[in-house]
Amino acid sequence: MRPGDDIEQAMERHGDTVWRVCLLSLRHEADAQDAFQDTFMRYALADATAFEGDEHRKAWLIRVATNACRDMLRRASRRTNVGLDEGLDQLVAASDPEEQPGSAVHEVIDAMRALDDPPRTPLYLALYEGYTAPEIAALVDAPVNTVYSWISRGRKQLKEVLA
């Protein structure tokens, strides 16, 4: 098990990214909290020498978070709760509390929320986190050309919605 300092440092540096990945994937704050907790629990139990650097640690955390979210979505017992998408609303509130509901930020968040996953997660990783398609392919365990297609399709859908 990793020392507490290491876990706290990883949460400080990469917690926001992992949280946003979980929110975008799961759309419900409670589910995102579970995936976030599961991700950092796995990090706490991971081999202390498993990471080559901070970027490798970040990529590993995103990969684990993506897989945790995917596992939650696949579970047959997952609740089907049609209603408000609290998760992305929380993301907007956390990023800028003075934003009003009709703002451009909300329009973009709503447009992202409307996308299927994929292309939502790969598009988020490309546009917001700055990952390249080959890096995203490694994170989500998909062929590089498929990731390029997802990003292209996601951008096109966003342009149509936001135009």
Side-chain angles (χ1 to χ4, degrees):
M1 182 147 182
R2 294 180 168 281
D5 301 1
D6 184 26
I7 298 167
E8 287 179 23
Q9 184 180 25
M11 288 181 79
E12 286 176 13
R13 286 188 179 167
H14 310 297
D16 288 341
T17 299
V18 172
W19 178 244
R20 287 189 295 265
V21 167
C22 293
L23 279 176
L24 284 170
S25 296
L26 296 172
R27 299 181 182 200
H28 293 84
E29 184 177 358
D31 293 337
Q33 288 173 349
D34 290 344
F36 181 87
Q37 183 178 8
D38 186 43
T39 300
F40 280 99
M41 180 60 71
R42 290 181 191 181
Y43 177 75
L45 297 173
D47 181 22
T49 61
F51 304 105
E52 297 169 7
D54 200 44
E55 277 302 310
H56 184 231
R57 178 179 290 112
K58 180 180 179 182
W60 186 89
L61 286 166
I62 290 172
R63 176 70 182 258
V64 170
T66 301
N67 288 340
C69 294
R70 188 179 304 154
D71 291 345
M72 289 179 72
L73 290 170
R74 286 182 181 159
R75 265 189 232 132
S77 63
R78 176 157 160 59
R79 71 179 194 274
T80 55
N81 195 3
V82 179
L84 295 177
D85 260 348
E86 300 168 11
L88 290 173
D89 292 336
Q90 293 286 333
L91 176 64
V92 171
S95 65
D96 191 356
E98 298 192 10
E99 288 292 329
Q100 298 300 317
S103 72
V105 171
H106 281 276
E107 288 180 41
V108 173
I109 294 296
D110 289 341
M112 285 290 289
R113 181 184 294 144
L115 295 175
D116 291 332
D117 194 21
R120 184 179 47 245
T121 299
L123 185 63
Y124 165 78
L125 291 172
L127 295 178
Y128 190 76
E129 296 297 329
Y131 282 94
T132 64
E135 292 169 331
I136 295 168
L139 291 172
V140 300
D141 195 28
V144 176
N145 287 335
T146 301
V147 172
Y148 280 120
S149 296
W150 287 338
I151 293 170
S152 175
R153 185 180 325 129
R155 283 182 175 163
K156 182 179 177 185
Q157 290 173 354
L158 278 178
K159 279 183 183 179
E160 289 172 1
V161 170
L162 296 174

PDB file of all heavy atoms in Angstrom, residues 32-59:
ATOM      1  N   ALA A  32     -20.304   9.010  -9.997  1.00  0.00           N
ATOM      2  CA  ALA A  32     -18.973   9.556 -10.238  1.00  0.00           C
ATOM      3  C   ALA A  32     -18.127   9.496  -8.968  1.00  0.00           C
ATOM      4  O   ALA A  32     -16.932   9.208  -9.022  1.00  0.00           O
ATOM      5  CB  ALA A  32     -19.078  10.992 -10.751  1.00  0.00           C
ATOM      6  N   GLN A  33     -18.755   9.752  -7.816  1.00  0.00           N
ATOM      7  CA  GLN A  33     -18.028   9.660  -6.546  1.00  0.00           C
ATOM      8  C   GLN A  33     -17.533   8.229  -6.308  1.00  0.00           C
ATOM      9  O   GLN A  33     -16.405   8.026  -5.854  1.00  0.00           O
ATOM     10  CB  GLN A  33     -18.915  10.094  -5.385  1.00  0.00           C
ATOM     11  CG  GLN A  33     -19.169  11.576  -5.339  1.00  0.00           C
ATOM     12  CD  GLN A  33     -20.193  11.955  -4.286  1.00  0.00           C
ATOM     13  OE1 GLN A  33     -20.876  11.119  -3.708  1.00  0.00           O
ATOM     14  NE2 GLN A  33     -20.308  13.257  -4.033  1.00  0.00           N
ATOM     15  N   ASP A  34     -18.389   7.257  -6.613  1.00  0.00           N
ATOM     16  CA  ASP A  34     -17.984   5.858  -6.449  1.00  0.00           C
ATOM     17  C   ASP A  34     -16.798   5.513  -7.353  1.00  0.00           C
ATOM     18  O   ASP A  34     -15.847   4.860  -6.927  1.00  0.00           O
ATOM     19  CB  ASP A  34     -19.156   4.923  -6.753  1.00  0.00           C
ATOM     20  CG  ASP A  34     -20.251   4.982  -5.703  1.00  0.00           C
ATOM     21  OD1 ASP A  34     -19.991   5.495  -4.594  1.00  0.00           O
ATOM     22  OD2 ASP A  34     -21.376   4.522  -5.999  1.00  0.00           O
ATOM     23  N   ALA A  35     -16.869   5.940  -8.600  1.00  0.00           N
ATOM     24  CA  ALA A  35     -15.782   5.654  -9.545  1.00  0.00           C
ATOM     25  C   ALA A  35     -14.503   6.375  -9.133  1.00  0.00           C
ATOM     26  O   ALA A  35     -13.406   5.808  -9.226  1.00  0.00           O
ATOM     27  CB  ALA A  35     -16.196   6.050 -10.963  1.00  0.00           C
ATOM     28  N   PHE A  36     -14.634   7.606  -8.681  1.00  0.00           N
ATOM     29  CA  PHE A  36     -13.478   8.380  -8.218  1.00  0.00           C
ATOM     30  C   PHE A  36     -12.814   7.677  -7.035  1.00  0.00           C
ATOM     31  O   PHE A  36     -11.595   7.491  -7.007  1.00  0.00           O
ATOM     32  CB  PHE A  36     -13.950   9.781  -7.813  1.00  0.00           C
ATOM     33  CG  PHE A  36     -12.857  10.696  -7.333  1.00  0.00           C
ATOM     34  CD1 PHE A  36     -12.134  11.450  -8.233  1.00  0.00           C
ATOM     35  CD2 PHE A  36     -12.572  10.816  -5.983  1.00  0.00           C
ATOM     36  CE1 PHE A  36     -11.128  12.313  -7.798  1.00  0.00           C
ATOM     37  CE2 PHE A  36     -11.576  11.659  -5.537  1.00  0.00           C
ATOM     38  CZ  PHE A  36     -10.853  12.414  -6.446  1.00  0.00           C
ATOM     39  N   GLN A  37     -13.631   7.267  -6.085  1.00  0.00           N
ATOM     40  CA  GLN A  37     -13.109   6.571  -4.914  1.00  0.00           C
ATOM     41  C   GLN A  37     -12.455   5.252  -5.305  1.00  0.00           C
ATOM     42  O   GLN A  37     -11.370   4.913  -4.813  1.00  0.00           O
ATOM     43  CB  GLN A  37     -14.233   6.333  -3.912  1.00  0.00           C
ATOM     44  CG  GLN A  37     -13.775   5.676  -2.640  1.00  0.00           C
ATOM     45  CD  GLN A  37     -14.899   5.503  -1.642  1.00  0.00           C
ATOM     46  OE1 GLN A  37     -16.064   5.742  -1.948  1.00  0.00           O
ATOM     47  NE2 GLN A  37     -14.555   5.091  -0.445  1.00  0.00           N
ATOM     48  N   ASP A  38     -13.082   4.522  -6.193  1.00  0.00           N
ATOM     49  CA  ASP A  38     -12.528   3.250  -6.652  1.00  0.00           C
ATOM     50  C   ASP A  38     -11.184   3.464  -7.353  1.00  0.00           C
ATOM     51  O   ASP A  38     -10.241   2.694  -7.155  1.00  0.00           O
ATOM     52  CB  ASP A  38     -13.524   2.565  -7.597  1.00  0.00           C
ATOM     53  CG  ASP A  38     -13.073   1.185  -8.001  1.00  0.00           C
ATOM     54  OD1 ASP A  38     -12.592   0.426  -7.133  1.00  0.00           O
ATOM     55  OD2 ASP A  38     -13.210   0.853  -9.205  1.00  0.00           O
ATOM     56  N   THR A  39     -11.095   4.530  -8.148  1.00  0.00           N
ATOM     57  CA  THR A  39      -9.846   4.836  -8.853  1.00  0.00           C
ATOM     58  C   THR A  39      -8.705   5.077  -7.877  1.00  0.00           C
ATOM     59  O   THR A  39      -7.624   4.499  -8.019  1.00  0.00           O
ATOM     60  CB  THR A  39     -10.036   6.070  -9.761  1.00  0.00           C
ATOM     61  OG1 THR A  39     -11.057   5.785 -10.717  1.00  0.00           O
ATOM     62  CG2 THR A  39      -8.749   6.435 -10.476  1.00  0.00           C
ATOM     63  N   PHE A  40      -8.957   5.901  -6.876  1.00  0.00           N
ATOM     64  CA  PHE A  40      -7.880   6.204  -5.936  1.00  0.00           C
ATOM     65  C   PHE A  40      -7.633   5.064  -4.944  1.00  0.00           C
ATOM     66  O   PHE A  40      -6.522   4.943  -4.425  1.00  0.00           O
ATOM     67  CB  PHE A  40      -8.113   7.548  -5.250  1.00  0.00           C
ATOM     68  CG  PHE A  40      -7.711   8.689  -6.142  1.00  0.00           C
ATOM     69  CD1 PHE A  40      -8.653   9.394  -6.868  1.00  0.00           C
ATOM     70  CD2 PHE A  40      -6.376   9.028  -6.302  1.00  0.00           C
ATOM     71  CE1 PHE A  40      -8.276  10.416  -7.722  1.00  0.00           C
ATOM     72  CE2 PHE A  40      -5.984  10.050  -7.154  1.00  0.00           C
ATOM     73  CZ  PHE A  40      -6.937  10.744  -7.869  1.00  0.00           C
ATOM     74  N   MET A  41      -8.614   4.218  -4.740  1.00  0.00           N
ATOM     75  CA  MET A  41      -8.369   3.017  -3.936  1.00  0.00           C
ATOM     76  C   MET A  41      -7.425   2.083  -4.695  1.00  0.00           C
ATOM     77  O   MET A  41      -6.485   1.533  -4.119  1.00  0.00           O
ATOM     78  CB  MET A  41      -9.686   2.299  -3.625  1.00  0.00           C
ATOM     79  CG  MET A  41      -9.500   1.035  -2.799  1.00  0.00           C
ATOM     80  SD  MET A  41      -8.742   1.325  -1.192  1.00  0.00           S
ATOM     81  CE  MET A  41     -10.067   2.146  -0.362  1.00  0.00           C
ATOM     82  N   ARG A  42      -7.656   1.933  -5.974  1.00  0.00           N
ATOM     83  CA  ARG A  42      -6.760   1.115  -6.787  1.00  0.00           C
ATOM     84  C   ARG A  42      -5.362   1.720  -6.842  1.00  0.00           C
ATOM     85  O   ARG A  42      -4.368   1.000  -6.839  1.00  0.00           O
ATOM     86  CB  ARG A  42      -7.318   0.944  -8.198  1.00  0.00           C
ATOM     87  CG  ARG A  42      -8.550   0.069  -8.234  1.00  0.00           C
ATOM     88  CD  ARG A  42      -9.059  -0.113  -9.630  1.00  0.00           C
ATOM     89  NE  ARG A  42     -10.369  -0.742  -9.629  1.00  0.00           N
ATOM     90  CZ  ARG A  42     -11.041  -1.037 -10.712  1.00  0.00           C
ATOM     91  NH1 ARG A  42     -10.534  -0.776 -11.905  1.00  0.00           N
ATOM     92  NH2 ARG A  42     -12.222  -1.592 -10.629  1.00  0.00           N
ATOM     93  N   TYR A  43      -5.309   3.045  -6.882  1.00  0.00           N
ATOM     94  CA  TYR A  43      -4.004   3.719  -6.861  1.00  0.00           C
ATOM     95  C   TYR A  43      -3.289   3.435  -5.538  1.00  0.00           C
ATOM     96  O   TYR A  43      -2.086   3.160  -5.521  1.00  0.00           O
ATOM     97  CB  TYR A  43      -4.177   5.228  -7.062  1.00  0.00           C
ATOM     98  CG  TYR A  43      -2.877   5.980  -6.980  1.00  0.00           C
ATOM     99  CD1 TYR A  43      -1.964   5.941  -8.022  1.00  0.00           C
ATOM    100  CD2 TYR A  43      -2.549   6.718  -5.846  1.00  0.00           C
ATOM    101  CE1 TYR A  43      -0.753   6.621  -7.951  1.00  0.00           C
ATOM    102  CE2 TYR A  43      -1.348   7.400  -5.760  1.00  0.00           C
ATOM    103  CZ  TYR A  43      -0.454   7.344  -6.814  1.00  0.00           C
ATOM    104  OH  TYR A  43       0.738   8.014  -6.740  1.00  0.00           O
ATOM    105  N   ALA A  44      -4.023   3.496  -4.440  1.00  0.00           N
ATOM    106  CA  ALA A  44      -3.426   3.252  -3.123  1.00  0.00           C
ATOM    107  C   ALA A  44      -2.864   1.836  -3.026  1.00  0.00           C
ATOM    108  O   ALA A  44      -1.850   1.610  -2.369  1.00  0.00           O
ATOM    109  CB  ALA A  44      -4.458   3.491  -2.030  1.00  0.00           C
ATOM    110  N   LEU A  45      -3.506   0.905  -3.695  1.00  0.00           N
ATOM    111  CA  LEU A  45      -3.080  -0.497  -3.627  1.00  0.00           C
ATOM    112  C   LEU A  45      -2.072  -0.869  -4.713  1.00  0.00           C
ATOM    113  O   LEU A  45      -1.517  -1.968  -4.679  1.00  0.00           O
ATOM    114  CB  LEU A  45      -4.302  -1.411  -3.723  1.00  0.00           C
ATOM    115  CG  LEU A  45      -5.321  -1.261  -2.573  1.00  0.00           C
ATOM    116  CD1 LEU A  45      -6.560  -2.085  -2.862  1.00  0.00           C
ATOM    117  CD2 LEU A  45      -4.703  -1.621  -1.240  1.00  0.00           C
ATOM    118  N   ALA A  46      -1.821   0.036  -5.658  1.00  0.00           N
ATOM    119  CA  ALA A  46      -0.894  -0.253  -6.759  1.00  0.00           C
ATOM    120  C   ALA A  46       0.540  -0.292  -6.241  1.00  0.00           C
ATOM    121  O   ALA A  46       0.877   0.320  -5.227  1.00  0.00           O
ATOM    122  CB  ALA A  46      -1.036   0.804  -7.859  1.00  0.00           C
ATOM    123  N   ASP A  47       1.381  -0.986  -6.986  1.00  0.00           N
ATOM    124  CA  ASP A  47       2.795  -1.099  -6.661  1.00  0.00           C
ATOM    125  C   ASP A  47       3.434   0.292  -6.616  1.00  0.00           C
ATOM    126  O   ASP A  47       3.246   1.100  -7.529  1.00  0.00           O
ATOM    127  CB  ASP A  47       3.489  -1.975  -7.712  1.00  0.00           C
ATOM    128  CG  ASP A  47       4.962  -2.174  -7.446  1.00  0.00           C
ATOM    129  OD1 ASP A  47       5.383  -2.017  -6.287  1.00  0.00           O
ATOM    130  OD2 ASP A  47       5.685  -2.488  -8.407  1.00  0.00           O
ATOM    131  N   ALA A  48       4.172   0.575  -5.576  1.00  0.00           N
ATOM    132  CA  ALA A  48       4.771   1.898  -5.381  1.00  0.00           C
ATOM    133  C   ALA A  48       5.785   2.266  -6.460  1.00  0.00           C
ATOM    134  O   ALA A  48       6.056   3.430  -6.691  1.00  0.00           O
ATOM    135  CB  ALA A  48       5.424   1.978  -4.001  1.00  0.00           C
ATOM    136  N   THR A  49       6.337   1.294  -7.143  1.00  0.00           N
ATOM    137  CA  THR A  49       7.337   1.573  -8.183  1.00  0.00           C
ATOM    138  C   THR A  49       6.759   1.432  -9.585  1.00  0.00           C
ATOM    139  O   THR A  49       7.499   1.370 -10.556  1.00  0.00           O
ATOM    140  CB  THR A  49       8.530   0.614  -8.037  1.00  0.00           C
ATOM    141  OG1 THR A  49       8.061  -0.727  -8.197  1.00  0.00           O
ATOM    142  CG2 THR A  49       9.208   0.779  -6.692  1.00  0.00           C
ATOM    143  N   ALA A  50       5.445   1.404  -9.701  1.00  0.00           N
ATOM    144  CA  ALA A  50       4.800   1.116 -10.980  1.00  0.00           C
ATOM    145  C   ALA A  50       4.823   2.287 -11.960  1.00  0.00           C
ATOM    146  O   ALA A  50       4.564   2.093 -13.142  1.00  0.00           O
ATOM    147  CB  ALA A  50       3.353   0.687 -10.750  1.00  0.00           C
ATOM    148  N   PHE A  51       5.144   3.487 -11.519  1.00  0.00           N
ATOM    149  CA  PHE A  51       5.012   4.648 -12.383  1.00  0.00           C
ATOM    150  C   PHE A  51       6.366   5.239 -12.727  1.00  0.00           C
ATOM    151  O   PHE A  51       7.237   5.373 -11.879  1.00  0.00           O
ATOM    152  CB  PHE A  51       4.123   5.704 -11.725  1.00  0.00           C
ATOM    153  CG  PHE A  51       2.775   5.161 -11.360  1.00  0.00           C
ATOM    154  CD1 PHE A  51       2.465   4.886 -10.042  1.00  0.00           C
ATOM    155  CD2 PHE A  51       1.844   4.885 -12.334  1.00  0.00           C
ATOM    156  CE1 PHE A  51       1.235   4.368  -9.705  1.00  0.00           C
ATOM    157  CE2 PHE A  51       0.617   4.357 -12.011  1.00  0.00           C
ATOM    158  CZ  PHE A  51       0.309   4.096 -10.690  1.00  0.00           C
ATOM    159  N   GLU A  52       6.505   5.609 -14.003  1.00  0.00           N
ATOM    160  CA  GLU A  52       7.768   6.151 -14.501  1.00  0.00           C
ATOM    161  C   GLU A  52       7.861   7.660 -14.302  1.00  0.00           C
ATOM    162  O   GLU A  52       8.933   8.221 -14.425  1.00  0.00           O
ATOM    163  CB  GLU A  52       7.914   5.809 -15.979  1.00  0.00           C
ATOM    164  CG  GLU A  52       7.975   4.322 -16.226  1.00  0.00           C
ATOM    165  CD  GLU A  52       7.852   3.968 -17.696  1.00  0.00           C
ATOM    166  OE1 GLU A  52       7.854   4.886 -18.542  1.00  0.00           O
ATOM    167  OE2 GLU A  52       7.745   2.776 -17.990  1.00  0.00           O
ATOM    168  N   GLY A  53       6.771   8.310 -14.039  1.00  0.00           N
ATOM    169  CA  GLY A  53       6.763   9.754 -13.844  1.00  0.00           C
ATOM    170  C   GLY A  53       5.347  10.239 -13.615  1.00  0.00           C
ATOM    171  O   GLY A  53       4.389   9.462 -13.585  1.00  0.00           O
ATOM    172  N   ASP A  54       5.220  11.554 -13.476  1.00  0.00           N
ATOM    173  CA  ASP A  54       3.915  12.132 -13.176  1.00  0.00           C
ATOM    174  C   ASP A  54       2.928  11.969 -14.336  1.00  0.00           C
ATOM    175  O   ASP A  54       1.742  11.719 -14.111  1.00  0.00           O
ATOM    176  CB  ASP A  54       4.074  13.605 -12.813  1.00  0.00           C
ATOM    177  CG  ASP A  54       2.885  14.133 -12.046  1.00  0.00           C
ATOM    178  OD1 ASP A  54       2.404  13.431 -11.125  1.00  0.00           O
ATOM    179  OD2 ASP A  54       2.417  15.242 -12.375  1.00  0.00           O
ATOM    180  N   GLU A  55       3.387  12.107 -15.577  1.00  0.00           N
ATOM    181  CA  GLU A  55       2.495  11.922 -16.730  1.00  0.00           C
ATOM    182  C   GLU A  55       2.015  10.478 -16.821  1.00  0.00           C
ATOM    183  O   GLU A  55       0.862  10.219 -17.172  1.00  0.00           O
ATOM    184  CB  GLU A  55       3.177  12.341 -18.032  1.00  0.00           C
ATOM    185  CG  GLU A  55       3.122  13.820 -18.298  1.00  0.00           C
ATOM    186  CD  GLU A  55       1.702  14.385 -18.358  1.00  0.00           C
ATOM    187  OE1 GLU A  55       0.848  13.823 -19.082  1.00  0.00           O
ATOM    188  OE2 GLU A  55       1.459  15.386 -17.680  1.00  0.00           O
ATOM    189  N   HIS A  56       2.879   9.542 -16.519  1.00  0.00           N
ATOM    190  CA  HIS A  56       2.486   8.138 -16.519  1.00  0.00           C
ATOM    191  C   HIS A  56       1.448   7.885 -15.434  1.00  0.00           C
ATOM    192  O   HIS A  56       0.467   7.170 -15.657  1.00  0.00           O
ATOM    193  CB  HIS A  56       3.721   7.251 -16.308  1.00  0.00           C
ATOM    194  CG  HIS A  56       3.419   5.791 -16.381  1.00  0.00           C
ATOM    195  ND1 HIS A  56       3.820   4.913 -15.409  1.00  0.00           N
ATOM    196  CD2 HIS A  56       2.752   5.051 -17.299  1.00  0.00           C
ATOM    197  CE1 HIS A  56       3.403   3.701 -15.711  1.00  0.00           C
ATOM    198  NE2 HIS A  56       2.763   3.757 -16.860  1.00  0.00           N
ATOM    199  N   ARG A  57       1.635   8.492 -14.285  1.00  0.00           N
ATOM    200  CA  ARG A  57       0.671   8.363 -13.176  1.00  0.00           C
ATOM    201  C   ARG A  57      -0.684   8.931 -13.593  1.00  0.00           C
ATOM    202  O   ARG A  57      -1.723   8.321 -13.375  1.00  0.00           O
ATOM    203  CB  ARG A  57       1.210   9.088 -11.942  1.00  0.00           C
ATOM    204  CG  ARG A  57       0.274   9.066 -10.754  1.00  0.00           C
ATOM    205  CD  ARG A  57       0.856   9.769  -9.540  1.00  0.00           C
ATOM    206  NE  ARG A  57       1.956   8.971  -9.027  1.00  0.00           N
ATOM    207  CZ  ARG A  57       3.238   9.332  -9.070  1.00  0.00           C
ATOM    208  NH1 ARG A  57       3.589  10.489  -9.585  1.00  0.00           N
ATOM    209  NH2 ARG A  57       4.173   8.554  -8.595  1.00  0.00           N
ATOM    210  N   LYS A  58      -0.668  10.110 -14.235  1.00  0.00           N
ATOM    211  CA  LYS A  58      -1.912  10.751 -14.675  1.00  0.00           C
ATOM    212  C   LYS A  58      -2.637   9.886 -15.706  1.00  0.00           C
ATOM    213  O   LYS A  58      -3.847   9.667 -15.614  1.00  0.00           O
ATOM    214  CB  LYS A  58      -1.614  12.126 -15.263  1.00  0.00           C
ATOM    215  CG  LYS A  58      -2.836  12.879 -15.737  1.00  0.00           C
ATOM    216  CD  LYS A  58      -2.457  14.235 -16.304  1.00  0.00           C
ATOM    217  CE  LYS A  58      -3.664  14.986 -16.807  1.00  0.00           C
ATOM    218  NZ  LYS A  58      -3.293  16.279 -17.402  1.00  0.00           N
ATOM    219  N   ALA A  59      -1.891   9.376 -16.669  1.00  0.00           N
ATOM    220  CA  ALA A  59      -2.489   8.520 -17.691  1.00  0.00           C
ATOM    221  C   ALA A  59      -3.063   7.256 -17.063  1.00  0.00           C
ATOM    222  O   ALA A  59      -4.151   6.803 -17.435  1.00  0.00           O
ATOM    223  CB  ALA A  59      -1.460   8.161 -18.756  1.00  0.00           C
TER     224      ALA A  59
END
